[in-house]
Amino acid sequence: MSWIAGVFFHFIGGFASGSFYVPYKRVKGWSWEAMWILGGIFSWVLVPPVAAYLTIPNFFKIITDTSSSIIGYTYLFGLLWGIGGLTYGLGVRYLGVSLGSSIILGLSMVFGALMPSIYYFFNSVPGKHGIDFFFTTNSGICVMIGLLICIVGIYLCGRAGVLKEKGLMNLSGAVQSEYKFGLGITVAIVSGILSACFNFGIEAGKPMADVANQLWKAANPGQGEFLYQNNVTYIVILWGGFTTNFIWCLYLLARNKTFSDYTKSSAPLGKNLLLCALAGTTWYLQFFFYGMGESRLGNGASSWILHMAFIILISNAWGVILKEWKGVSKPTYRAIIAGIVTIILSICIVGFAKTLE
């Protein structure tokens, strides 16, 4: 029954990721770049080594003993993912939490789930599924059905966004200034494709997780797989992500002259700092629990699809709770609700697929 625990861990991770942007929306008097980089310092620099220190003895030695090529590829995918994560914030800014997250994470789900399996089809690795797995086995076919149903759910959420744009004339001018569908959808597509690189980074850095897993199993025989084995890999991936975001945010802070945001007397410094810390820490928890779910389900398409689907589900739920759809027409509201229900169905199907292996 380990698959049930795996699905549950992915749900918690999805809840963390789908919720992390909510504290940012409460930050007052700061520019986007000022709050994004501050939260990112917690997400990418401070929290990951703390989590690794608490779960993996001598984690830094595992990193230093790993070959430079493995570290390099893991870091490179982190850099690319960092661009996706950076544009994720902009996509959510221009499309809203629910629509922006749905499109970005939907694309990330498809690319992140299927691209590694194409690689492993041509470069066989024990324990990894090639793309043929999804068309020749009951479990794989079930996963593909769940993926396709989730795409339908994402389409419904996107359809709701188009209808929302058409009805914006009935909303306030403040909402209109933030909601920019054309710019937002372009940013979201770029973000969705590059965000899948995080899963590629996990694959590239798997040897580090394997070492952590072997050391733990040697010290704890007969207790299964190590729940926290990926925490060491995250450190290197997130170094790459931090590099990209730090450079871009420094550029924006200099260009927009927003370094002064941190000294504004009109901005609640302590509260903003706390909100950014909360957002950044919550963001990291998505992968902390993803690693736990992956240790139960395996780092294949099922884990990535479930992770993304739960994030999309929670993000859309927050969109409803935060009244992002307040005042829209009934067809628009029905579309977003139908999208949420469809995604829930896809989660159930992908989770069931694991029982068929």
Side-chain angles (χ1 to χ4, degrees):
M1 300 296 285
S2 62
W3 69 272
I4 296 178
V7 172
F8 177 70
F9 290 140
H10 282 310
F11 167 75
I12 298 176
F15 184 85
S17 181
S19 305
F20 90 92
Y21 204 84
V22 175
Y24 281 135
K25 295 175 76 70
R26 299 290 184 266
V27 173
K28 304 295 183 183
W30 283 4
S31 62
W32 176 86
E33 58 270 18
M35 69 176 187
W36 187 256
I37 192 57
L38 189 57
I41 289 174
F42 285 89
S43 300
W44 309 312
V45 178
L46 299 180
V47 179
V50 171
Y53 174 79
L54 294 174
T55 55
I56 304 176
N58 300 318
F59 73 91
F60 194 71
K61 188 175 187 304
I62 295 176
I63 296 175
T64 56
D65 288 347
T66 301
S67 71
S68 58
S69 62
I70 292 175
I71 295 293
Y73 279 115
T74 306
Y75 178 79
L76 174 62
F77 284 124
L79 278 173
L80 296 174
W81 162 81
I83 299 174
L86 175 65
T87 48
Y88 177 92
L90 293 174
V92 169
R93 177 183 179 183
Y94 294 130
L95 295 177
V97 173
S98 57
L99 179 59
S101 296
S102 295
I103 295 173
I104 294 169
L105 298 173
L107 288 169
S108 177
M109 177 175 62
V110 173
F111 279 90
L114 299 184
M115 290 302 292
S117 65
I118 295 175
Y119 172 83
Y120 289 125
F121 178 76
F122 295 102
N123 302 272
S124 180
V125 174
K128 298 296 184 181
H129 297 309
I131 192 67
D132 57 323
F133 170 81
F134 301 105
F135 302 98
T136 58
T137 67
N138 290 335
S139 178
I141 291 171
C142 192
V143 170
M144 286 300 294
I145 292 173
L147 177 61
L148 292 173
I149 290 176
C150 195
I151 292 172
V152 172
I154 294 166
Y155 164 78
L156 291 172
C157 294
R159 174 63 178 165
V162 173
L163 293 173
K164 177 182 177 181
E165 183 185 31
K166 291 179 178 178
L168 268 180
M169 62 183 65
N170 298 322
L171 299 179
S172 68
V175 174
Q176 290 185 49
S177 65
E178 283 293 316
Y179 186 79
K180 301 176 182 178
F181 185 79
L183 177 59
I185 197 67
T186 302
V187 171
I189 291 172
V190 173
S191 177
I193 294 173
L194 293 181
S195 291
C197 288
F198 198 100
N199 198 33
F200 306 158
I202 293 175
E203 295 283 356
K206 190 63 176 173
M208 289 184 283
D210 287 340
V211 172
N213 191 35
Q214 291 163 8
L215 291 173
W216 183 86
K217 290 171 76 173
N220 302 271
Q223 296 189 33
E225 303 298 315
F226 185 31
L227 275 175
Y228 309 110
Q229 58 186 271
N230 282 325
N231 286 353
V232 64
T233 309
Y234 294 155
I235 292 176
V236 180
I237 299 174
L238 294 175
W239 284 343
F242 175 73
T243 302
T244 306
N245 282 265
F246 185 69
I247 292 173
W248 178 245
C249 286
L250 277 183
Y251 165 73
L252 290 180
L253 286 166
R255 188 194 69 178
N256 300 331
K257 297 181 173 57
T258 46
F259 280 107
S260 60
D261 284 0
Y262 300 118
T263 57
K264 274 185 180 178
S265 58
S266 58
L269 178 61
K271 181 180 178 181
N272 283 357
L273 176 61
L274 182 61
L275 287 168
C276 289
L278 176 61
T281 302
T282 301
W283 181 94
Y284 174 75
L285 289 177
Q286 68 170 306
F287 289 113
F288 183 86
F289 286 102
Y290 175 87
M292 296 172 68
E294 181 268 343
S295 70
R296 292 295 179 259
L297 293 177
N299 187 30
S302 294
S303 280
W304 191 251
I305 291 170
L306 282 173
H307 181 65
M308 293 292 109
F310 274 126
I311 296 174
I312 296 167
L313 174 65
I314 299 301
S315 298
N316 278 289
W318 274 118
V320 174
I321 293 171
L322 294 175
K323 302 183 189 290
E324 290 184 351
W325 303 93
K326 182 179 180 181
V328 300
S329 66
K330 289 184 178 180
T332 303
Y333 200 77
R334 283 196 295 266
I336 191 63
I337 296 301
I340 291 174
V341 172
T342 304
I343 292 169
I344 292 175
L345 175 62
S346 74
I347 289 170
C348 294
I349 293 173
V350 174
F352 174 74
K354 196 65 181 178
T355 67
L356 302 177
E357 291 188 5

PDB file of all heavy atoms in Angstrom, residues 323-345:
ATOM      1  N   LYS A 323     -11.346  34.729  -4.824  1.00  0.00           N
ATOM      2  CA  LYS A 323     -12.348  35.465  -5.600  1.00  0.00           C
ATOM      3  C   LYS A 323     -11.784  36.048  -6.888  1.00  0.00           C
ATOM      4  O   LYS A 323     -12.186  37.135  -7.333  1.00  0.00           O
ATOM      5  CB  LYS A 323     -12.984  36.588  -4.759  1.00  0.00           C
ATOM      6  CG  LYS A 323     -13.646  36.085  -3.486  1.00  0.00           C
ATOM      7  CD  LYS A 323     -14.324  37.216  -2.732  1.00  0.00           C
ATOM      8  CE  LYS A 323     -14.803  36.802  -1.380  1.00  0.00           C
ATOM      9  NZ  LYS A 323     -15.847  35.951  -1.223  1.00  0.00           N
ATOM     10  N   GLU A 324     -10.808  35.327  -7.492  1.00  0.00           N
ATOM     11  CA  GLU A 324     -10.301  35.772  -8.790  1.00  0.00           C
ATOM     12  C   GLU A 324     -11.365  35.644  -9.872  1.00  0.00           C
ATOM     13  O   GLU A 324     -11.252  36.249 -10.929  1.00  0.00           O
ATOM     14  CB  GLU A 324      -9.067  34.944  -9.184  1.00  0.00           C
ATOM     15  CG  GLU A 324      -7.837  35.244  -8.344  1.00  0.00           C
ATOM     16  CD  GLU A 324      -6.622  34.490  -8.828  1.00  0.00           C
ATOM     17  OE1 GLU A 324      -6.774  33.611  -9.703  1.00  0.00           O
ATOM     18  OE2 GLU A 324      -5.514  34.775  -8.326  1.00  0.00           O
ATOM     19  N   TRP A 325     -12.378  34.833  -9.611  1.00  0.00           N
ATOM     20  CA  TRP A 325     -13.446  34.627 -10.588  1.00  0.00           C
ATOM     21  C   TRP A 325     -14.730  35.331 -10.177  1.00  0.00           C
ATOM     22  O   TRP A 325     -15.783  35.092 -10.761  1.00  0.00           O
ATOM     23  CB  TRP A 325     -13.692  33.122 -10.760  1.00  0.00           C
ATOM     24  CG  TRP A 325     -12.446  32.405 -11.182  1.00  0.00           C
ATOM     25  CD1 TRP A 325     -11.540  31.800 -10.378  1.00  0.00           C
ATOM     26  CD2 TRP A 325     -11.942  32.266 -12.515  1.00  0.00           C
ATOM     27  NE1 TRP A 325     -10.505  31.283 -11.109  1.00  0.00           N
ATOM     28  CE2 TRP A 325     -10.730  31.551 -12.421  1.00  0.00           C
ATOM     29  CE3 TRP A 325     -12.418  32.668 -13.769  1.00  0.00           C
ATOM     30  CZ2 TRP A 325      -9.979  31.227 -13.549  1.00  0.00           C
ATOM     31  CZ3 TRP A 325     -11.655  32.345 -14.883  1.00  0.00           C
ATOM     32  CH2 TRP A 325     -10.461  31.635 -14.772  1.00  0.00           C
ATOM     33  N   LYS A 326     -14.634  36.203  -9.178  1.00  0.00           N
ATOM     34  CA  LYS A 326     -15.807  36.939  -8.721  1.00  0.00           C
ATOM     35  C   LYS A 326     -16.299  37.880  -9.818  1.00  0.00           C
ATOM     36  O   LYS A 326     -15.524  38.614 -10.433  1.00  0.00           O
ATOM     37  CB  LYS A 326     -15.469  37.747  -7.465  1.00  0.00           C
ATOM     38  CG  LYS A 326     -16.667  38.509  -6.896  1.00  0.00           C
ATOM     39  CD  LYS A 326     -16.266  39.274  -5.641  1.00  0.00           C
ATOM     40  CE  LYS A 326     -17.450  40.040  -5.074  1.00  0.00           C
ATOM     41  NZ  LYS A 326     -17.073  40.813  -3.858  1.00  0.00           N
ATOM     42  N   GLY A 327     -17.580  37.848 -10.074  1.00  0.00           N
ATOM     43  CA  GLY A 327     -18.176  38.742 -11.052  1.00  0.00           C
ATOM     44  C   GLY A 327     -18.159  38.232 -12.467  1.00  0.00           C
ATOM     45  O   GLY A 327     -18.705  38.885 -13.360  1.00  0.00           O
ATOM     46  N   VAL A 328     -17.550  37.058 -12.719  1.00  0.00           N
ATOM     47  CA  VAL A 328     -17.527  36.518 -14.083  1.00  0.00           C
ATOM     48  C   VAL A 328     -18.882  35.884 -14.394  1.00  0.00           C
ATOM     49  O   VAL A 328     -19.700  35.633 -13.512  1.00  0.00           O
ATOM     50  CB  VAL A 328     -16.403  35.483 -14.265  1.00  0.00           C
ATOM     51  CG1 VAL A 328     -15.050  36.122 -13.979  1.00  0.00           C
ATOM     52  CG2 VAL A 328     -16.606  34.272 -13.355  1.00  0.00           C
ATOM     53  N   SER A 329     -19.106  35.603 -15.668  1.00  0.00           N
ATOM     54  CA  SER A 329     -20.371  34.999 -16.083  1.00  0.00           C
ATOM     55  C   SER A 329     -20.489  33.559 -15.587  1.00  0.00           C
ATOM     56  O   SER A 329     -19.485  32.917 -15.247  1.00  0.00           O
ATOM     57  CB  SER A 329     -20.471  35.019 -17.610  1.00  0.00           C
ATOM     58  OG  SER A 329     -19.475  34.184 -18.179  1.00  0.00           O
ATOM     59  N   LYS A 330     -21.703  33.038 -15.588  1.00  0.00           N
ATOM     60  CA  LYS A 330     -21.914  31.658 -15.153  1.00  0.00           C
ATOM     61  C   LYS A 330     -21.181  30.646 -16.031  1.00  0.00           C
ATOM     62  O   LYS A 330     -20.616  29.682 -15.506  1.00  0.00           O
ATOM     63  CB  LYS A 330     -23.417  31.364 -15.114  1.00  0.00           C
ATOM     64  CG  LYS A 330     -24.143  32.069 -13.971  1.00  0.00           C
ATOM     65  CD  LYS A 330     -25.611  31.672 -13.929  1.00  0.00           C
ATOM     66  CE  LYS A 330     -26.308  32.351 -12.750  1.00  0.00           C
ATOM     67  NZ  LYS A 330     -27.752  31.996 -12.674  1.00  0.00           N
ATOM     68  N   PRO A 331     -21.164  30.820 -17.379  1.00  0.00           N
ATOM     69  CA  PRO A 331     -20.382  29.873 -18.193  1.00  0.00           C
ATOM     70  C   PRO A 331     -18.897  29.862 -17.819  1.00  0.00           C
ATOM     71  O   PRO A 331     -18.263  28.811 -17.831  1.00  0.00           O
ATOM     72  CB  PRO A 331     -20.593  30.388 -19.621  1.00  0.00           C
ATOM     73  CG  PRO A 331     -21.919  31.086 -19.574  1.00  0.00           C
ATOM     74  CD  PRO A 331     -21.958  31.741 -18.227  1.00  0.00           C
ATOM     75  N   THR A 332     -18.352  31.038 -17.496  1.00  0.00           N
ATOM     76  CA  THR A 332     -16.948  31.106 -17.103  1.00  0.00           C
ATOM     77  C   THR A 332     -16.722  30.362 -15.796  1.00  0.00           C
ATOM     78  O   THR A 332     -15.764  29.579 -15.662  1.00  0.00           O
ATOM     79  CB  THR A 332     -16.510  32.576 -16.939  1.00  0.00           C
ATOM     80  OG1 THR A 332     -16.751  33.276 -18.153  1.00  0.00           O
ATOM     81  CG2 THR A 332     -15.036  32.669 -16.583  1.00  0.00           C
ATOM     82  N   TYR A 333     -17.576  30.590 -14.833  1.00  0.00           N
ATOM     83  CA  TYR A 333     -17.442  29.930 -13.532  1.00  0.00           C
ATOM     84  C   TYR A 333     -17.627  28.425 -13.669  1.00  0.00           C
ATOM     85  O   TYR A 333     -16.919  27.638 -13.037  1.00  0.00           O
ATOM     86  CB  TYR A 333     -18.454  30.508 -12.545  1.00  0.00           C
ATOM     87  CG  TYR A 333     -18.098  30.254 -11.099  1.00  0.00           C
ATOM     88  CD1 TYR A 333     -17.106  31.012 -10.475  1.00  0.00           C
ATOM     89  CD2 TYR A 333     -18.720  29.250 -10.371  1.00  0.00           C
ATOM     90  CE1 TYR A 333     -16.763  30.787  -9.152  1.00  0.00           C
ATOM     91  CE2 TYR A 333     -18.377  29.013  -9.052  1.00  0.00           C
ATOM     92  CZ  TYR A 333     -17.399  29.790  -8.452  1.00  0.00           C
ATOM     93  OH  TYR A 333     -17.047  29.555  -7.132  1.00  0.00           O
ATOM     94  N   ARG A 334     -18.571  28.015 -14.512  1.00  0.00           N
ATOM     95  CA  ARG A 334     -18.773  26.578 -14.726  1.00  0.00           C
ATOM     96  C   ARG A 334     -17.543  25.946 -15.370  1.00  0.00           C
ATOM     97  O   ARG A 334     -17.191  24.800 -15.077  1.00  0.00           O
ATOM     98  CB  ARG A 334     -20.016  26.344 -15.601  1.00  0.00           C
ATOM     99  CG  ARG A 334     -21.332  26.513 -14.860  1.00  0.00           C
ATOM    100  CD  ARG A 334     -22.469  25.886 -15.647  1.00  0.00           C
ATOM    101  NE  ARG A 334     -22.701  26.569 -16.918  1.00  0.00           N
ATOM    102  CZ  ARG A 334     -23.573  27.537 -17.093  1.00  0.00           C
ATOM    103  NH1 ARG A 334     -24.323  27.953 -16.065  1.00  0.00           N
ATOM    104  NH2 ARG A 334     -23.744  28.097 -18.284  1.00  0.00           N
ATOM    105  N   ALA A 335     -16.875  26.694 -16.251  1.00  0.00           N
ATOM    106  CA  ALA A 335     -15.678  26.166 -16.918  1.00  0.00           C
ATOM    107  C   ALA A 335     -14.559  25.911 -15.919  1.00  0.00           C
ATOM    108  O   ALA A 335     -13.888  24.871 -15.975  1.00  0.00           O
ATOM    109  CB  ALA A 335     -15.216  27.134 -18.009  1.00  0.00           C
ATOM    110  N   ILE A 336     -14.340  26.839 -14.992  1.00  0.00           N
ATOM    111  CA  ILE A 336     -13.253  26.650 -14.034  1.00  0.00           C
ATOM    112  C   ILE A 336     -13.581  25.516 -13.067  1.00  0.00           C
ATOM    113  O   ILE A 336     -12.713  24.721 -12.703  1.00  0.00           O
ATOM    114  CB  ILE A 336     -12.942  27.966 -13.279  1.00  0.00           C
ATOM    115  CG1 ILE A 336     -11.635  27.820 -12.484  1.00  0.00           C
ATOM    116  CG2 ILE A 336     -14.054  28.380 -12.360  1.00  0.00           C
ATOM    117  CD1 ILE A 336     -10.418  27.585 -13.324  1.00  0.00           C
ATOM    118  N   ILE A 337     -14.832  25.404 -12.658  1.00  0.00           N
ATOM    119  CA  ILE A 337     -15.228  24.310 -11.768  1.00  0.00           C
ATOM    120  C   ILE A 337     -15.108  22.967 -12.490  1.00  0.00           C
ATOM    121  O   ILE A 337     -14.627  21.974 -11.931  1.00  0.00           O
ATOM    122  CB  ILE A 337     -16.661  24.510 -11.247  1.00  0.00           C
ATOM    123  CG1 ILE A 337     -16.740  25.784 -10.386  1.00  0.00           C
ATOM    124  CG2 ILE A 337     -17.107  23.296 -10.442  1.00  0.00           C
ATOM    125  CD1 ILE A 337     -15.825  25.788  -9.184  1.00  0.00           C
ATOM    126  N   ALA A 338     -15.520  22.934 -13.755  1.00  0.00           N
ATOM    127  CA  ALA A 338     -15.398  21.700 -14.540  1.00  0.00           C
ATOM    128  C   ALA A 338     -13.929  21.304 -14.698  1.00  0.00           C
ATOM    129  O   ALA A 338     -13.584  20.122 -14.648  1.00  0.00           O
ATOM    130  CB  ALA A 338     -16.041  21.881 -15.913  1.00  0.00           C
ATOM    131  N   GLY A 339     -13.058  22.307 -14.875  1.00  0.00           N
ATOM    132  CA  GLY A 339     -11.633  22.031 -14.975  1.00  0.00           C
ATOM    133  C   GLY A 339     -11.084  21.415 -13.700  1.00  0.00           C
ATOM    134  O   GLY A 339     -10.309  20.453 -13.733  1.00  0.00           O
ATOM    135  N   ILE A 340     -11.489  21.942 -12.556  1.00  0.00           N
ATOM    136  CA  ILE A 340     -11.046  21.412 -11.265  1.00  0.00           C
ATOM    137  C   ILE A 340     -11.506  19.970 -11.087  1.00  0.00           C
ATOM    138  O   ILE A 340     -10.730  19.089 -10.698  1.00  0.00           O
ATOM    139  CB  ILE A 340     -11.572  22.293 -10.114  1.00  0.00           C
ATOM    140  CG1 ILE A 340     -10.876  23.664 -10.138  1.00  0.00           C
ATOM    141  CG2 ILE A 340     -11.362  21.610  -8.768  1.00  0.00           C
ATOM    142  CD1 ILE A 340     -11.426  24.659  -9.141  1.00  0.00           C
ATOM    143  N   VAL A 341     -12.770  19.716 -11.397  1.00  0.00           N
ATOM    144  CA  VAL A 341     -13.316  18.359 -11.246  1.00  0.00           C
ATOM    145  C   VAL A 341     -12.597  17.377 -12.174  1.00  0.00           C
ATOM    146  O   VAL A 341     -12.279  16.242 -11.791  1.00  0.00           O
ATOM    147  CB  VAL A 341     -14.835  18.359 -11.528  1.00  0.00           C
ATOM    148  CG1 VAL A 341     -15.377  16.930 -11.567  1.00  0.00           C
ATOM    149  CG2 VAL A 341     -15.571  19.164 -10.461  1.00  0.00           C
ATOM    150  N   THR A 342     -12.322  17.808 -13.395  1.00  0.00           N
ATOM    151  CA  THR A 342     -11.630  16.948 -14.362  1.00  0.00           C
ATOM    152  C   THR A 342     -10.223  16.610 -13.888  1.00  0.00           C
ATOM    153  O   THR A 342      -9.761  15.465 -14.030  1.00  0.00           O
ATOM    154  CB  THR A 342     -11.572  17.632 -15.734  1.00  0.00           C
ATOM    155  OG1 THR A 342     -12.896  17.971 -16.163  1.00  0.00           O
ATOM    156  CG2 THR A 342     -10.934  16.722 -16.768  1.00  0.00           C
ATOM    157  N   ILE A 343      -9.532  17.575 -13.329  1.00  0.00           N
ATOM    158  CA  ILE A 343      -8.180  17.328 -12.820  1.00  0.00           C
ATOM    159  C   ILE A 343      -8.209  16.362 -11.638  1.00  0.00           C
ATOM    160  O   ILE A 343      -7.336  15.496 -11.503  1.00  0.00           O
ATOM    161  CB  ILE A 343      -7.502  18.660 -12.438  1.00  0.00           C
ATOM    162  CG1 ILE A 343      -7.219  19.480 -13.707  1.00  0.00           C
ATOM    163  CG2 ILE A 343      -6.205  18.414 -11.676  1.00  0.00           C
ATOM    164  CD1 ILE A 343      -6.790  20.897 -13.444  1.00  0.00           C
ATOM    165  N   ILE A 344      -9.215  16.483 -10.785  1.00  0.00           N
ATOM    166  CA  ILE A 344      -9.364  15.532  -9.669  1.00  0.00           C
ATOM    167  C   ILE A 344      -9.526  14.114 -10.213  1.00  0.00           C
ATOM    168  O   ILE A 344      -8.934  13.154  -9.699  1.00  0.00           O
ATOM    169  CB  ILE A 344     -10.563  15.920  -8.779  1.00  0.00           C
ATOM    170  CG1 ILE A 344     -10.278  17.223  -8.044  1.00  0.00           C
ATOM    171  CG2 ILE A 344     -10.872  14.798  -7.780  1.00  0.00           C
ATOM    172  CD1 ILE A 344     -11.461  17.751  -7.240  1.00  0.00           C
ATOM    173  N   LEU A 345     -10.319  13.965 -11.264  1.00  0.00           N
ATOM    174  CA  LEU A 345     -10.513  12.657 -11.882  1.00  0.00           C
ATOM    175  C   LEU A 345      -9.188  12.109 -12.416  1.00  0.00           C
ATOM    176  O   LEU A 345      -8.873  10.915 -12.237  1.00  0.00           O
ATOM    177  CB  LEU A 345     -11.531  12.757 -13.019  1.00  0.00           C
ATOM    178  CG  LEU A 345     -11.760  11.478 -13.850  1.00  0.00           C
ATOM    179  CD1 LEU A 345     -12.306  10.353 -12.963  1.00  0.00           C
ATOM    180  CD2 LEU A 345     -12.718  11.770 -15.005  1.00  0.00           C
TER     181      LEU A 345
END
